[in-house]
């Protein structure tokens, strides 16, 4: 046995030799973020050991470390096997508490007709609480003024909770944070794999419910609302997230024919799922379209009124998954592609989430100098998704990155501005673009962006082809999601994620998963209405198209 001490947490645990540092941390209840769930590919679980302890680990995964990091004692927690007593420094591995998460999204005029209603019976001095016509429970006294509901946007990366007064439709507070599941597995596919056994599902489910309860409690205390007066909660998220939130094993989503265990448009007992609100409260899961086009997109369709728009509208939710719907005179077709974690700043050498220190804006000025904006107006520590697309887009536009994704050779190019050429330097024998002394873009990073944007662009191309329309025929493009809201149309077109014909037609509509969920909460009639809309949606399974690979490869080009 070997003793592992994690500091500054001052937590210790004895483990068998051969155990990885990541496994030891999880057993000790210490969080080390590992987006790839220990596959050794993301490089985000780097921890530092004092030189005296390096001999007590068998360190692998050096392909994710720079030479200078190895010299300083850094190892990958997921691949460093413990062979003796060690002390692990996690002072640089702290959880980000400054995440920039959007809690607003486009909506429409909602007529107030919530599922939850209250009726006071004076002769009994009792208030009866109803869900539609069904009586949920009885409360002593007249409690009609205390009538609340909540919505939760369960994103793959983030969580947003909103508490709403059901009597007037007004929001009384919001809370947002990182989805605790993301520290174990970053994208949907790795989340499905992690949760396919009983122990993994238990971790994902319990950590999510615990965090939702914490967020609801935080809002309720701040707003002076009692938990017992919250009677309904709407969960909005992709199909996998709804499985994990309702303790349903998502394994079937990871293998053909990708059949969901739950299809949404159902009610669950909140008490049975350990949601700490009214003991007779209900959970509503909106309808889902398919295994990979979930309730978050249905909420987005409702919030944007996509199914009622004239002409041709493309709706795209950009994130770890690229989900998109095209509406042609009210007829909807949907598909999804696995964009991967690059847009969240993961799998990127200097990538990080949109928190303090992250570069969120990048621009090359006419004289060759660069202009950056950093979240928190502090020293740049890394690059978040919006900054990454800005950087790649600008470097493509100014000839630093060629159409095939390779850096231009600064020594053989006469057209490159000298100030930009000076930023192209070699590190460990490979070209990088230096943004600051500490932050850079690598050739591998560009490849990750190519793969992510290529997947989404290919999905768009197939949707357009399926509807028999050209890019010029599209009247408007709606970019949804918390991540998408912080992007610039210029960058999306520069990297080729969107066709140049979309220039001037792009609208960023925010977190419509949340705003659509509020619409479901405030008017029960939208539930049956959207259930019927979902039945009519044509789903394109891109894996079934024999020429998808060819289109995808074509879409890799900038």
């Amino acid at each position: 046995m070997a003793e592992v001490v994690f500091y500054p947490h001052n937590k210790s645990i004895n483990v068998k030799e051969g155990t990885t540092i990541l496994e030891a941390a999880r057993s000790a209840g210490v969080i080390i973020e590992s987006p790839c769930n220990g596959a050794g590919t993301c490089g985000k679980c780097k921890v530092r050991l004092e030189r005296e302890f390096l001999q007590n680990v068998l360190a692998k995964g050096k392909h994710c470390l720079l030479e200078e990091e190895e010299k300083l004692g850094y190892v990958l927690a997921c691949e460093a096997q413990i062979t003796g007593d060690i002390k692990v420094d996690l002072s640089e591995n702290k959880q980000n508490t400054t995440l920039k998460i959007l809690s607003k999204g486009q909506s429409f005029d909602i007529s107030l007709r919530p599922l939850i209603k209250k009726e006071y019976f004076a002769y009994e001095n009792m208030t009866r609480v109803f869900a539609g016509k069904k009586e949920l429970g009885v409360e002593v006294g007249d409690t009609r003024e205390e009538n609340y509901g909540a919505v939760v946007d369960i994103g793959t990366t983030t969580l947003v909770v909103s508490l709403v007064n059901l009597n007037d439709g007004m929001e009384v507070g919001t809370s947002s944070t990182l989805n605790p599941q993301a520290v174990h597995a970053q994208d949907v596919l790795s989340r499905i794999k992690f949760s396919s056994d009983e122990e993994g599902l238990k971790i994902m489910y319990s950590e999510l419910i615990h965090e939702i309860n914490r967020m609801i409690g935080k809002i309720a205390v701040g707003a002076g609302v009692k938990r017992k007066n919250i009677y309904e909660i709407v969960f909005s998220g992709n199909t996998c997230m709804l499985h994990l939130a309702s303790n349903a094993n998502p394994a079937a989503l990871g293998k053909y024919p990708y059949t969901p265990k739950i299809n949404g448009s159902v009610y669950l007992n909140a008490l049975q799922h350990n949601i700490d609100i009214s003991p007779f409260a209900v959970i509503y899961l909106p309808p889902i379209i398919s295994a990979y086009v979930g309730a978050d997109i249905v909420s987005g369709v409702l919030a944007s009124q996509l199914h009622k728009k004239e002409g041709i509208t493309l709706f795209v939710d950009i994130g770890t998954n690229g989900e998109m719907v095209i509406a042609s005179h009210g007829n909807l077709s949907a598909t999804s592609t696995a964009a991967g974690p690059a847009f969240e700043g993961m799998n990127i050498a200097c990538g990080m989430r949109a928190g303090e220190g992250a570069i969120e804006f990048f621009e090359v000025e006419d004289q060759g100098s660069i202009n950056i904006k950093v979240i928190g107006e502090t020293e740049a520590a890394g690059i978040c998704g919006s900054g990454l697309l800005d950087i790649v887009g600008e470097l493509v536009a100014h000839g630093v990155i060629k159409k095939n994704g390779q850096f231009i050779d600064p020594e053989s190019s006469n057209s490159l501005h000298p100030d930009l050429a000076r930023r192209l330097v070699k590190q460990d024998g490979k070209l990088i673009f230096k943004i600051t002394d500490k932050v850079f873009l690598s050739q591998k990073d560009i490849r990750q962006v190519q793969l992510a944007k290529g997947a989404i662009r290919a999905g768009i191309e197939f949707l357009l082809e399926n509807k028999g329309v050209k890019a010029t025929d599209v009247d408007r493009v709606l970019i949804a999601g918390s991540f998408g809201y912080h992007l610039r149309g210029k960058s999306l077109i520069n990297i080729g994620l969107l066709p140049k014909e979309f220039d001037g037609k792009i609208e960023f509509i925010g977190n419509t998963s949340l705003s659509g969920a509020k619409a479901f909460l405030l008017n029960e009639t939208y539930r049956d209405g959207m259930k019927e809309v979902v039945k009519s949606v044509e789903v394109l399974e891109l894996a079934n198209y024999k020429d998808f690979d060819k289109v995808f490869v074509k879409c890799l080009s900038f």
Side-chain angles (χ1 to χ4, degrees):
M1 300 291 285
E3 183 184 38
V4 184
V5 180
F6 297 96
Y7 66 95
H9 302 75
N10 291 323
K11 285 191 176 183
S12 64
I13 189 172
N14 290 313
V15 299
K16 292 181 179 179
E17 292 189 9
T19 302
T20 66
I21 293 175
L22 180 61
E23 290 168 341
R26 288 176 175 175
S27 297
V30 174
I31 293 176
I32 298 177
E33 192 164 345
S34 178
C36 68
N37 192 32
T41 56
C42 72
K44 298 301 176 187
C45 66
K46 286 182 286 193
V47 296
R48 192 170 69 85
L49 305 180
E50 297 296 336
R51 187 165 298 280
E52 61 188 283
F53 296 111
L54 285 173
Q55 62 186 6
N56 290 341
V57 296
L58 180 61
K60 302 177 184 178
K62 294 187 177 183
H63 59 282
C64 287
L65 297 171
L66 301 175
E67 287 182 9
E68 59 191 63
E69 289 177 323
E70 288 186 57
K71 291 176 183 177
L72 291 172
Y74 283 92
V75 296
L76 288 188
C78 71
E79 295 198 339
Q81 295 178 342
I82 301 162
T83 59
D85 296 348
I86 58 172
K87 290 184 179 180
V88 183
D89 181 4
L90 299 179
S91 57
E92 296 179 21
N93 202 273
K94 60 181 182 295
Q95 287 291 289
N96 198 320
T97 57
T98 60
L99 282 178
K100 198 170 182 180
I101 303 170
L102 190 67
S103 59
K104 301 293 180 185
Q106 185 182 88
S107 194
F108 59 101
D109 290 333
I110 301 169
S111 56
L112 196 60
R113 191 176 170 180
L115 174 75
I116 303 299
K117 300 174 182 67
K118 285 188 165 186
E119 190 173 347
Y120 176 61
F121 295 83
Y123 67 93
E124 295 178 307
N125 191 30
M126 294 283 187
T127 300
R128 299 185 184 276
V129 183
F130 296 90
K133 295 180 179 180
K134 179 183 178 182
E135 183 177 310
L136 293 178
V138 179
E139 298 172 339
V140 176
D142 186 355
T143 65
R144 286 176 294 179
E145 292 300 311
E146 305 299 319
N147 189 14
Y148 298 91
V151 297
V152 186
D153 169 32
I154 309 174
T156 311
T157 303
T158 58
L159 294 177
V160 184
V161 176
S162 173
L163 186 60
V164 179
N165 186 328
L166 297 179
N167 289 335
D168 59 16
M170 298 300 291
E171 182 179 81
V172 299
T174 62
S175 178
S176 58
T177 190
L178 180 71
N179 186 330
Q181 300 169 339
V183 302
H184 303 298
Q186 175 64 31
D187 58 31
V188 166
L189 294 179
S190 57
R191 202 82 50 99
I192 291 170
K193 182 179 179 182
F194 186 96
S195 309
S196 291
D197 62 67
E198 186 177 340
E199 185 59 30
L201 178 60
K202 181 181 177 181
I203 291 170
M204 289 293 182
Y205 172 67
S206 60
E207 288 190 2
L208 178 63
I209 296 299
H210 174 79
E211 192 62 29
I212 289 172
N213 278 329
R214 185 195 68 79
M215 295 168 77
I216 290 174
K218 177 183 176 182
I219 302 169
V221 169
V225 172
K226 295 176 181 177
R227 286 178 180 265
K228 68 178 182 179
N229 294 132
I230 304 172
Y231 304 99
E232 185 178 27
I233 185 166
V234 178
F235 285 167
S236 183
N238 66 46
T239 308
C240 176
M241 293 306 104
L242 290 196
H243 276 67
L244 299 181
S246 56
N247 203 25
N249 193 307
L253 301 178
K255 53 191 176 185
Y256 188 82
Y258 315 110
T259 305
K261 198 170 183 178
I262 55 173
N263 290 294
S265 197
V266 296
Y267 294 90
L268 307 174
N269 183 301
L271 183 62
Q272 290 178 357
H273 286 277
N274 303 309
I275 302 293
D276 187 11
I277 50 178
S278 169
F280 43 76
V282 295
I283 302 169
Y284 173 68
L285 306 183
I288 66 172
I289 295 173
S290 72
Y292 289 98
V293 185
D296 52 345
I297 302 305
V298 175
S299 292
V301 170
L302 174 60
S304 64
Q305 295 287 277
L306 186 66
H307 55 303
K308 295 183 179 180
K309 291 190 182 299
E310 295 295 325
I312 299 173
T313 304
L314 179 67
F315 175 102
V316 185
D317 189 320
I318 302 174
T320 52
N321 309 305
E323 297 145 317
M324 56 209 80
V325 184
I326 191 168
S328 178
H329 308 288
N331 295 314
L332 306 185
S333 296
T335 193
S336 66
T337 57
F343 292 154
E344 303 289 351
M346 300 296 105
N347 286 5
I348 303 299
C350 295
M352 61 183 289
R353 293 197 172 89
E356 186 174 305
I359 295 174
E360 64 172 341
F361 173 90
F362 177 96
E363 194 168 50
V364 176
E365 298 179 337
D366 292 340
Q367 61 272 32
S369 59
I370 65 171
N371 176 29
I372 65 172
K373 290 182 182 177
V374 180
I375 296 175
E377 298 182 353
T378 184
E379 181 184 7
I383 307 166
C384 68
S386 60
L388 177 66
L389 295 198
D390 269 2
I391 293 166
V392 175
E394 285 289 278
L395 296 187
V396 169
H398 288 83
V400 179
I401 297 173
K402 296 185 285 187
K403 287 188 179 297
N404 64 3
Q406 293 183 338
F407 281 124
I408 196 167
D409 184 351
E411 296 179 1
S412 62
S413 173
N414 297 321
S415 60
L416 193 61
H417 195 287
D419 285 349
L420 294 176
R422 277 193 288 270
R423 292 181 178 274
L424 278 171
V425 297
K426 285 195 174 182
Q427 181 172 268
D428 291 345
K430 297 179 181 179
L431 274 178
I432 63 167
F433 182 85
K434 287 195 79 171
I435 300 164
T436 71
D437 288 339
K438 296 181 179 179
V439 182
F440 62 88
L441 183 78
S442 73
Q443 187 67 68
K444 184 180 175 183
D445 297 339
I446 299 170
R447 182 61 174 165
Q448 292 296 317
V449 173
Q450 281 184 288
L451 292 171
K453 79 94 182 178
I456 293 177
R457 177 63 183 270
I460 292 172
E461 293 296 326
F462 273 93
L463 275 183
L464 294 176
E465 181 182 341
N466 181 66
K467 283 296 184 186
V469 299
K470 299 177 181 177
T472 51
D473 299 327
V474 175
D475 298 300
R476 63 193 72 82
V477 181
L478 307 179
I479 305 296
S482 178
F483 169 65
Y485 189 74
H486 297 101
L487 300 177
R488 292 191 297 159
K490 175 184 175 183
S491 297
L492 295 177
I493 290 173
N494 277 347
I495 68 169
L497 188 146
L498 297 179
K500 62 181 183 299
E501 291 87 352
F502 288 176
D503 191 20
K505 301 176 180 179
I506 304 168
E507 183 182 350
F508 297 92
I509 59 175
N511 189 345
T512 53
S513 175
L514 189 76
S515 59
K518 284 183 189 175
F520 279 123
L521 178 71
L522 294 174
N523 191 319
E524 63 168 320
T525 64
Y526 299 146
R527 303 179 187 191
D528 286 340
M530 290 308 298
K531 186 177 180 180
E532 291 305 309
V533 169
V534 165
K535 287 180 182 177
S536 67
V537 176
E538 178 187 18
V539 179
L540 274 67
E541 295 291 354
L542 299 182
N544 295 335
Y545 287 83
K546 60 183 179 182
D547 53 347
F548 175 76
D549 289 348
K550 293 180 181 178
V551 175
F552 171 66
V553 170
K554 183 180 179 181
C555 290
L556 292 176
S557 177
F558 288 124

